[in-house]
Amino acid sequence: MASLLPSLFHFLFFLSTCTSFINAYHLTPTFYARRCPKLQSIVRSTMVKAIINEPRMAASILRLHFHDCFVNGCDASVLLNDTPTFKGEKSAAPNDNSLKGFKLIDEIKSNVETICKNVVSCSDILALAARDAVTLSGGPRWKVPLGRRDTRTTSIEAANTNLPPTTANITTLTSIFAAKSLTARDMTALMGAHTIGMARCTTFRTHIYNEPNNINTNFALIKKANCPAWGGDNNLAPLDTGSPTRFDNSFFKNLMAKQGLLHSDQELLNGGSQVAWVRLYAKSNVAFGNDFVNAMIKMGNISPLTGRFGEIRRHCRFVN
């Protein structure tokens, strides 16, 4: 027994050291407090100018953050351009001709680098910009946990399989979110991000033409005027007909009236525990805001690279 004590001691010491190492790199809102104290004001001021110039940019940045985190974690992989050694996520089916905001993230990164060179990751910039997109659109504000690092790789295959398609039913949606350790409540709140932004005709054509039992007749008729049965794939319609540029609970009121623009959105009322959350959020903007913040923080914690993993990219579109 005595001979086992040194081994046990070393094992416990090793375990303690590993635990300390892991805990040392957990995400925290104060991660850049000393090394880049002006970070958040730089991000916010750049976002303010962008959204004043183009209000739709708020939804674009929020969606960019979502599509980043759902593919191998929040690591700025979605920002990478194609290279001879890998094909990036930008050309994946859910992203191709759809994701916007890359130039804005480049601008924010450039502004940050001027003040804090080689300090702030692109993944953290994207997380902060997404928070500011919500706040500047009238939504809640929260402290964003920081300390992520940027990946050196990307995967078009993962983007094609991990992002929920607009045609998804509630079973598929629940499964995709659960795979990221997000509950039905988290899923419902996060999908409420569709209270701002636009969708292309090609993403909702089937819903308005072929699902008469799952959509308000008059609403479908109105949408058909700008989304013909053939052609006009890139014609746009607001995801939220009540207040398309304001972050509020109008999206859920639309769902209650069978006026969800996307099939996947209206599926939130097709059975399951999330139905109760849709009804609650339709009644209470406060409840929606609180749950959205909690869900965004959880989503932002999906498999981040920290410590010595990854890198701090000098340019968000390219590895160093």
Side-chain angles (χ1 to χ4, degrees):
M1 178 68 179
S3 63
L4 294 177
L5 290 178
S7 298
L8 179 61
F9 172 81
H10 287 128
F11 173 77
L12 292 175
F13 176 78
F14 173 77
L15 185 61
S16 175
T17 301
C18 290
T19 302
S20 297
F21 179 83
I22 293 170
N23 289 339
Y25 296 111
H26 71 284
L27 303 184
T28 170
T30 60
F31 187 82
Y32 298 105
R34 287 187 295 176
R35 293 187 299 159
C36 193
K38 296 183 179 179
L39 169 62
Q40 302 210 29
S41 63
I42 295 171
V43 175
R44 183 176 175 82
S45 62
T46 311
M47 286 293 295
V48 167
K49 293 176 183 177
I51 292 175
I52 288 176
N53 183 58
E54 176 52 80
R56 282 181 54 202
M57 192 52 62
S60 296
I61 294 299
L62 183 55
R63 186 164 182 257
L64 200 57
H65 181 46
F66 178 94
H67 280 228
D68 179 41
C69 291
F70 261 61
V71 182
N72 297 329
C74 307
D75 57 6
S77 60
V78 72
L79 304 177
L80 288 172
N81 285 350
D82 292 353
T83 74
T85 58
F86 63 69
K87 193 170 182 61
E89 298 167 24
K90 293 178 180 179
S91 55
N95 298 335
D96 190 32
N97 196 33
S98 175
L99 286 186
K100 311 291 182 184
F102 297 106
K103 290 183 179 179
L104 177 53
I105 296 301
D106 289 343
E107 181 182 355
I108 297 173
K109 175 65 171 175
S110 178
N111 292 342
V112 170
E113 287 290 301
T114 300
I115 306 299
C116 312
K117 193 171 183 65
N118 298 330
V119 170
V120 183
S121 68
C122 296
S123 48
D124 276 344
I125 286 174
L126 184 52
L128 286 170
R131 187 274 310 277
D132 290 343
V134 172
T135 304
L136 294 171
S137 300
R141 183 176 179 83
W142 64 95
K143 293 182 179 180
V144 179
L146 302 167
R148 302 169 189 82
R149 288 167 66 86
D150 303 321
T151 185
R152 298 185 181 95
T153 62
T154 183
S155 171
I156 186 173
E157 293 81 9
N160 279 324
T161 57
N162 291 342
L163 293 168
T166 60
T167 56
N169 60 29
I170 192 59
T171 301
T172 299
L173 288 171
T174 303
S175 176
I176 290 174
F177 278 80
K180 306 300 178 184
S181 298
L182 296 168
T183 65
R185 183 177 185 174
D186 298 326
M187 174 185 70
T188 309
L190 287 171
M191 288 180 67
H194 285 173
T195 185
I196 56 175
M198 310 282 280
R200 294 183 299 145
C201 170
T202 187
T203 64
F204 60 85
R205 177 182 285 117
T206 298
H207 182 50
I208 63 175
Y209 280 95
N210 300 332
E211 300 176 22
N213 296 326
N214 201 33
I215 192 169
N216 178 279
T217 302
N218 290 333
F219 175 75
L221 188 62
I222 292 171
K223 296 307 171 185
K224 289 176 183 178
N226 192 46
C227 182
W230 294 275
D233 285 1
N234 292 321
N235 292 354
L236 298 173
L239 287 161
D240 178 350
T241 58
S243 49
T245 61
R246 183 166 182 79
F247 198 96
D248 57 22
N249 65 336
S250 179
F251 167 79
F252 296 101
K253 295 177 181 179
N254 292 341
L255 297 186
M256 295 297 294
K258 284 193 173 183
Q259 294 181 10
L261 185 65
L262 303 179
H263 170 85
S264 53
D265 287 344
Q266 196 61 54
E267 277 289 294
L268 288 175
L269 278 177
N270 191 17
S273 62
Q274 79 286 338
V275 173
W277 299 115
V278 172
R279 291 172 177 166
L280 173 62
Y281 301 155
K283 294 178 181 178
S284 174
N285 193 47
V286 172
F288 166 49
N290 290 339
D291 282 0
F292 182 80
V293 166
N294 291 333
M296 281 292 287
I297 292 173
K298 284 181 67 175
M299 186 185 78
N301 276 294
I302 297 175
S303 304
L305 296 172
T306 60
R308 297 185 183 129
F309 296 98
E311 64 183 14
I312 304 298
R313 285 190 216 137
R314 291 187 289 271
H315 192 295
C316 291
R317 295 177 188 245
F318 311 100
V319 299
N320 294 340

